[in-house]
Amino acid sequence: MKSSLLFSLIFLLLCFKLYAQDTLRIIDKLEYVTSPIKAGNNIVVDGILEDKEWSNALWSKGFTVFEPDNGAAPNQDTKFKITYDDKYLYIGVRCFDSIPNLIEKRLARRDNFSGDWIEINIDSYNDKRTAFSFNVSAAGVKGDEFVSQNGDNWDASWNPIWYTAANIDKEGWTAEMKIPFSQLKFGKQKEQIWGLQMHRRLFREEERSIWQPISRDAPGWISEFGTLRGLMNIQPQRQLEVQPFTVLQQDTYPKEEGNPFRDGADFKLNGGLDAKIGLTNDLTLDLTVNPDFGQVEADPGAIALDGFQIFFQEQRPFFVENKNIFDFRFAGGNDNIFYSRRIGRSPQRSVGNHDDVAYVDQPTNSTILGAAKFSGKTKNGWSVGLLESVTGNMYAEVEDINGGRRDELVEPLTNYLVGRVQKDFNKRNSYIGGIFTATNRKLPSEMEFLRKAAYTGGLDFKHNWKDRNYYFQGNIVTSHVTGSAKAIEDTQRGITHLFQREDAGHVRVDPTRTSLTGTGGKLEYGKAGGGNWRYEAGVVWRSPELELNDVGFLRQTDEIVQYAQVRRLFLKPTNVYRRMGLRLEQESNYDFEGNYNRIKYQFEGDINYKNNWWTEIGAAHKPRIYSNSVLRGGPRWQWSQENFGYLFFGSDRRKKFNFTLGYVNSQAKQKNFEFLRYVFRFNYQPFDAFSLSVSSEYEENPNKTRYVDQIDYGNITRYVTAAIDQKTFSTSIRLNYSLNPNLSIQYYGEPFISQGTYTNFNYVSNAAAANVYNRVSWYTPDQISRPEVEGGYLIDEDLDGTVDYEIENPDFSYVQFRSNLVLRWEYTPGSEIFLVWSQGVTGSGDPMNTLGRDLDRQILGQKKDNTFLIKATYRFIL
């Protein structure tokens, strides 16, 4: 630990030496002063700037190139006007183009930013960290995003109601936007002073020009905006929207003889309501009753042999919107105090393994009885969020072997509460915040394996100085979970904690405990902008008793990670490249007993060439790799040294046809393990209204010592591993056809196959041995046998002619196919009709087959589950 801290100190001193050589470019801030149109007049949004109300607004021009040649004059000029009335902000833009027939007008669905476009970013909070973005393409396709983290996060799930149109003429193209003040957030004051940026993409040159010049070495995006003034006496518009929905759904699937719950077809009629109520102009209450799961795109296929849970992105609109306010990623990766997919999760109790059960109708998700979300940001710099949700008791319908019916509880009534607050200060250069979550379950005796209650709290902060070029940030979290002795013992033994590790002196399983309390956090210092150098260094920790998985996401505990990174940016275009970056990283890992578990050194580079082709390359060396989790409660395990590398390159993404090729190779000493990945992706758009994209991946992951099982053998525990030959193949296909900006057809399909066959079974003899051949002992042919082709393995370890224990056959072949065909029509702003056809099949193939044969038999040759649904929404603005 001391050596790593010393390394970080030396590393930072060298960084200071290098960064002192950076020279900063001073850029003046621009200001646009708008004026109102006369009362009673309005502007017709048709993309043609001929309404007389535009005559009183002043043109602003003087755009400069953001990239590639930062600060240069653009190839084509741009100018804009802004005016307003008591309810709307109007923006008119003239995008000059000396060759109008080369303007790229690609049709796509909303939020697909293709072709030539113009974008306005408005920081109406004027907090220099968040903004509202409105985008329109030359084809009239609209896009909108909520921007946070000073431009590091762009959330396209935000879907406000606004109006826009575009028109191509002999001078280029023009665009008009009409944005209701109710869709923006701002405080009440005589004059509104907002941050402003206009951003144009000239597609054929891949040139980005902007109104307010921003240096490519700036520490952020929003903090560098110009200023919009002149918005006088605007009354905040309270938002009041109600959006009911109706879903008609027909499911068909292969009939199972004798199973009353799988008779071949089901029909469902569902409905619900979403509402958005502006309590003030900057604080909103969102309500949902029986939210719809029908439009959630299928999660990608995945399989995890290490026992850890898999993270999937949230896609439900209620939870996605304003998620930046509730976000509390405290330790890097996906670890987060709030993981909204816990709400409405799949039931956690299975009743299909009872002896008297013949058939079960198990619910897929827990029903959300209702949810409310209060969120927003005030003009004084307070960001606040409060989310409350209740999921109901969920029952599986069971038919027993005698034909009787009963309901079995599989998920209890649960209440989820999340509260979040942040406060800006120091002229918006710093903030401090906190979060609190509570999960409470009403547990009957059959559900006492679940935790009864879980509470988490956290504090976070960030301080920027020297024009935001330098920062210091951090957070600390704490958790407290309670439950029955069984629930808490299961928590201690779970993959996240593994207190039963036989060689751990600092943790142990206590079967009498009814609570656990833990902490975690992160501290980081770095340089985010100014010149061509960047760096960061920090430490992350997760104590052994930390537990967040009731309403958060936590993969593993008992870890202290120290890391450092330095980057060199090449931002000035040359005859070879438009931009380039190089990065060096170092990371070391310890547990709370002080064991030095890992060290990694990594190099990465990326380059965007002059012709917009690109390359990404990386390599890493891991001379020390120990794991506390590989043997699932067994002793600390050493992996052999690893060398890792990857290479990706691709063509110009603007072209009608573009591709990506990728290769990943990881090799361990003595061929302990290996990982190979081959990636091929392409996009093809033969004409403006249609596009096709394909992403295909093939992986091989052989390993001499993959964990299989642990078995009691006399007074000892045998940790059994084996050589695995694992292969995985997946291909996702997406088609998009847009009849117009508001009517489109999309198709998504993905087959996923993963096979693993195990050979050369062995058991752990010295888990910490550096030599893999001393780490395990292989069973001899006399010790292991397999009487049945598809049965398990019988072990006669002491060779006395009696079977000592049995190993179940671990071979697998997991096969999945999912597809969606969706017609989407936004028949009026904010209101939509969906026609959906979904197909899916999940099953097991034969591990001895080839991947292609399983694809043919288990996907192409299988009858699939089908879902046909019609969903209609209407958004009332009251």
Side-chain angles (χ1 to χ4, degrees), residues 3-13 537-538 562-564 586:
S3 61
S4 294
L5 293 176
L6 179 61
F7 175 89
S8 293
L9 181 60
I10 296 172
F11 178 88
L12 290 177
L13 290 174
Q562 168 275 324
Y563 60 92
Q586 172 271 332

Side-chain angles (χ1 to χ4, degrees), residues 256-261 351-361 397-406:
E256 294 182 16
E257 292 298 329
N259 187 344
F261 307 121
V351 295
N353 54 1
H354 293 184
D355 292 338
D356 67 336
V357 172
Y359 302 105
V360 178
D361 186 14
E397 190 175 0
V398 177
E399 182 173 294
D400 61 34
I401 56 178
N402 297 316
R405 294 282 186 97
R406 69 177 186 269

